[in-house]
């Protein structure tokens, strides 16, 4: 008579074997916080300052156009009762044209700002990725996750400080910018 091995017993042995072999492999995982890297590096601070200045110049353009709109609106309100119907309608059309142009300009400027941010941060993100990759390769880290601020989209709720590569990435980037 042949001994028969049951399928559940065989399956359990396989799973146990995989678990033991997986436990023998050391898996190193780390985290980085890109926002802290942006705030903590010389290059990141330069990028933030440049973007802030760029946004301020665009904001001044918007404020000047808003002031012009408010002036037209005030003129229309004050002169409305004494204007003829056709003159009032003409002033309203002029105001509406300015308002439409203002809204279009607002959208254009917002698009410009977003494009500038993408361009400026794109290069910096590549530098972060290279620095993280270098550190991970040197320290045999298998996986590096992005840690951000707490919120709805946060994947990492807790990590030990020893797993955080952020300060080392900041040092690596700053040392490259000094060269």
């Amino acid at each position: 008579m042949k001994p028969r091995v049951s399928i559940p017993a065989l399956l359990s042995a396989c799973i146990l074997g995989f678990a033991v072999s997986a436990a023998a492999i050391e898996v190193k995982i780390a985290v980085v916080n890109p926002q802290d890297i942006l705030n903590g590096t010389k290059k990141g601070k330069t990028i933030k300052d440049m973007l802030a200045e760029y946004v301020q110049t665009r904001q001044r353009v918007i404020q000047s156009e808003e002031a012009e709109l408010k002036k037209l609106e005030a003129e229309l309100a004050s002169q409305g009762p004494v204007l003829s119907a056709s003159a009032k309608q003409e002033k309203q059309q002029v105001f509406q044209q300015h308002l439409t142009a203002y809204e279009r300009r607002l959208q254009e400027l917002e698009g410009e700002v977003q494009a500038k941010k993408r361009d400026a941060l794109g290069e910096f993100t590549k530098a972060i990725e290279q620095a993280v990759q270098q550190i991970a390769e040197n320290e045999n880290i298998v996986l590096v996750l992005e840690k951000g601020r707490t919120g709805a989209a946060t994947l990492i709720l807790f990590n030990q400080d020893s797993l955080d590569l952020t300060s080392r990435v900041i040092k690596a980037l700053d040392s490259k910018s000094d060269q």
Side-chain angles (χ1 to χ4, degrees):
M1 190 182 229
K2 259 176 136 177
R4 293 184 63 178
V5 178
S6 71
I7 292 181
L10 184 59
L11 196 54
S12 296
C14 287
I15 291 172
L16 183 60
F18 288 133
V20 170
S21 65
I25 299 172
E26 181 181 353
V27 177
K28 287 177 129 183
I29 297 173
V31 296
V32 293
N33 187 327
Q35 187 64 44
D36 287 350
I37 294 170
L38 180 66
N39 294 335
T41 59
K42 296 172 192 172
K43 180 73 173 171
K45 290 174 186 173
T46 302
I47 289 171
K48 283 179 60 176
D49 291 345
M50 181 269 304
L51 288 174
E53 184 178 325
Y54 189 81
V55 168
Q56 283 177 345
T57 60
R58 300 311 181 263
Q59 191 63 36
R60 284 192 289 266
V61 169
I62 294 299
Q63 287 171 343
S64 128
E65 290 182 14
E66 280 178 1
E68 182 65 30
L69 270 175
K70 286 179 183 177
K71 179 181 169 188
L72 286 171
E73 187 176 36
E75 284 177 14
L76 184 61
S78 67
Q79 296 174 358
V82 295
L83 291 174
S84 67
S86 62
K88 185 176 180 179
Q89 184 179 7
E90 185 178 317
K91 283 227 181 234
Q92 286 176 334
Q93 286 177 341
V94 168
F95 175 77
Q96 190 61 41
Q97 288 171 348
H98 277 83
L99 180 61
T100 303
Y102 166 77
E103 290 171 345
R104 189 173 343 116
R105 184 76 173 134
L106 192 62
Q107 288 177 340
E108 288 172 2
L109 291 176
E110 179 63 28
E112 287 177 17
V113 167
Q114 292 304 319
K116 188 74 166 176
K117 283 182 181 180
R118 272 192 309 276
D119 291 345
L121 294 175
E123 291 178 30
F124 188 68
T125 300
K126 286 178 187 174
I128 291 173
E129 289 170 358
Q130 289 172 348
V132 167
Q133 181 179 356
Q134 184 71 38
I135 292 169
E137 287 173 356
N138 290 344
E139 298 183 20
N140 295 320
I141 298 171
V142 177
L143 180 66
V144 179
L145 301 170
E146 180 178 323
K147 181 178 183 178
R149 307 230 184 269
T150 56
T154 302
L155 294 175
I156 300 172
L157 300 176
F158 172 78
N159 66 275
Q160 293 179 350
D161 289 340
S162 62
L163 298 176
D164 196 337
L165 300 179
T166 303
S167 61
R168 290 185 269 175
V169 172
I170 290 171
K171 287 177 188 174
L173 290 173
D174 280 347
S175 70
K176 284 183 181 180
S177 70
D178 289 341
Q179 295 175 355

